[in-house]
Amino acid sequence: LHAEQLAGVDVVFMSCGTDGDCTKVNAQKNGVHVPSTQEAGPVESAEYIKYIAAFFNLEPLANEMFASTQTSYAQASSGKSATPPLVAWINYNPKSDWSAESFVVSQASYKTTMVTDVGATSLNATTALAGIAGLKVTDAVTGKPASGKTYTIPTNEDKAAASAAFFKALEGVDVIVDEVYAPDPTTYNFESFLSTYGLTSSSDLKFVKNKMVLRIDRTMGEAMKSLDWYESRIAKPEWAIEGLARVVHEDTSKRAKYFRNVAKDETVDQVLKAAGCTKALPVCDALIDPVPIKTLGEIKVGGTEVAGAEALRVVPLVALAVAVLWAAVV
C-alpha cells in the first residue's frame, strides 16, 4: 500500500541517509532529495519550508512562516545563565549484525546549538574522551564537517570496563541526554537508563546524584510509538528549545515538549493519536479530491482577481500542511 501511495503522486519528498547513501531517493522516480534533517542548525532545518513551498507556488507564505519561526525561536532561547550546566548527548549501541557494541557521544551541531541557546554548555568531547582507547571520531553527517561530530567508543567485549572509562570522562557533566532506542518509550525509566549503561543509583556522577537524565521521547505517536522529535521538531525548532529549557533549568513557565527527565520520574505524557488529525487527505480517503495548486493571480475572491502574495494567503493550506509533514519526516 505504501509503495502504491508513493507511486500515485507527482512528487515524494525524501532524503539520502546520513551516511550519504541516496539509493532510496534514486530508486523513487518521483523522489526529490530534501536534506532538512542534515543541516547544521535547528533553524536552518526549518528553512526548508521555503524549498518545499516552491512546488506549491507558496513561496511568499513560506517566507512569512519562516520569519515567524525565527522570531519564535529567538524568543524561546534562554540566553546565557550565570552558571551554565554542562550537557552531553549520549547513546549505547548493543552488539548486533550491523554494529559492534559501543558507547557514543553525539555532538551534532544542531544539538550543541540548542544547548547553547538554552543557556547551557556542551561537553568538549574531543578533550574529555581523548585518552580512551579505540575512540573513533566521524562526521555526524558523512562528508559534512559542519554537521558536527560523533564519538564512538567500542567496548571490545568488556562492557563494564568500557562503561567505567566512558563515565570517568563524563564525570563533570551536569545533564545527560540519553538517546538509547527503546521499542516502547513508555516503559523506559531511570532504572532502564542505569541498567543500559552499567551504572547504579549510588553513583557519584553529578547527573545521577542530582537526577538530571533526559530523554527525547516525551512526545510520541500512539500507533507506531514513533518519536515526534524526528517529525514536528524539524518544522518547529522553537518547541524543542522550550522543551529543553524547561527540563534543564526546571522552568515550568516553558512549554513541555519532546524532553522528559526520567531521573525525576517524568513519563511519556504527550501521545499523539489518529483522532487528533482532523484534516482528511486524498492519500487516505479516495472520496477526497486534491486541492489544486493555484498559479499566481489565478485566485478570485468575491469576483475580484487577487495576485501575488495576497492570492497565496487565501489558498487552502492542505498542500502546505502536507509539505510541512514531509519536511518533518525526512
Side-chain angles (χ1 to χ4, degrees):
L1 176 61
H2 185 240
E4 291 178 4
Q5 290 175 333
L6 296 183
V9 297
D10 295 315
V11 175
V12 178
F13 296 114
M14 309 172 69
S15 69
C16 300
T18 56
D19 59 358
D21 184 2
C22 293
T23 302
K24 290 184 178 180
V25 178
N26 294 334
Q28 188 71 39
K29 293 182 179 180
N30 54 354
V32 175
H33 178 46
V34 186
S36 55
T37 61
Q38 299 176 17
E39 288 296 326
V43 176
E44 288 84 344
S45 291
E47 192 169 12
Y48 274 90
I49 191 173
K50 298 179 183 178
Y51 175 77
I52 294 174
F55 289 82
F56 301 92
N57 289 334
L58 289 171
E59 298 99 311
L61 181 56
N63 288 335
E64 181 179 309
M65 293 177 69
F66 179 65
S68 176
T69 293
Q70 289 179 298
T71 300
S72 298
Y73 187 92
Q75 291 172 344
S77 298
S78 300
K80 296 290 184 181
S81 61
T83 54
L86 187 64
V87 180
W89 301 64
I90 68 172
N91 206 336
Y92 165 73
N93 295 319
K95 184 177 181 180
S96 67
D97 292 338
W98 53 87
S99 68
E101 185 181 40
S102 62
F103 292 99
V104 177
V105 172
S106 172
Q107 294 212 294
S109 296
Y110 79 91
K111 296 174 183 175
T112 58
T113 295
M114 285 194 288
V115 167
T116 299
D117 290 343
V118 300
T121 302
S122 291
L123 172 75
N124 184 333
T126 300
T127 300
L129 305 175
I132 299 181
L135 174 66
K136 181 180 180 181
V137 184
T138 57
D139 291 336
V141 177
T142 301
K144 295 185 177 182
S147 66
K149 300 296 181 185
T150 299
Y151 299 78
T152 304
I153 300 166
T155 64
N156 296 319
E157 300 187 1
D158 188 345
K159 181 180 177 180
S163 174
F166 183 66
F167 286 108
K168 175 65 176 177
L170 303 185
E171 62 184 0
V173 172
D174 298 294
V175 181
I176 284 292
V177 182
D178 168 29
E179 297 188 274
V180 160
Y181 169 71
D184 184 356
T186 63
T187 65
Y188 194 99
N189 54 29
F190 190 41
E191 287 69 30
S192 305
F193 165 77
L194 295 172
S195 174
T196 296
Y197 288 95
L199 298 173
T200 67
S201 59
S202 61
S203 170
D204 287 331
L205 290 166
K206 295 167 70 175
F207 53 83
V208 174
K209 291 178 64 176
N210 298 327
K211 296 189 175 182
M212 292 299 291
V213 178
L214 315 183
R215 296 276 295 171
I216 56 173
D217 57 10
R218 184 175 200 143
T219 315
M220 180 191 78
E222 180 183 38
M224 302 295 292
K225 301 188 185 301
S226 57
L227 305 190
D228 195 36
W229 171 260
Y230 299 111
E231 299 185 22
S232 69
R233 187 260 309 170
I234 310 301
K236 303 292 291 184
E238 67 271 29
W239 292 354
I241 285 294
E242 281 199 80
L244 183 58
R246 179 186 176 92
V247 290
V248 166
H249 300 300
E250 300 182 276
D251 181 357
T252 57
S253 70
K254 299 290 187 181
R255 178 197 309 264
K257 193 73 173 178
Y258 308 123
F259 295 92
R260 65 183 176 111
N261 188 338
V262 293
K264 294 184 178 179
D265 298 323
E266 290 187 340
T267 61
V268 179
D269 57 4
Q270 298 176 357
V271 180
L272 307 177
K273 302 181 180 181
C277 298
T278 59
K279 192 70 177 182
L281 299 176
V283 72
C284 301
D285 189 341
L287 298 178
I288 303 296
D289 292 325
V291 175
I293 298 175
K294 304 292 185 179
T295 59
L296 296 180
E298 182 182 359
I299 302 171
K300 290 186 178 182
V301 179
T304 302
E305 186 175 275
V306 182
E310 189 176 352
L312 296 176
R313 293 176 192 277
V314 299
V315 175
L317 292 181
V318 175
L320 187 58
V322 174
V324 172
L325 173 62
W326 274 109
V329 300
V330 294

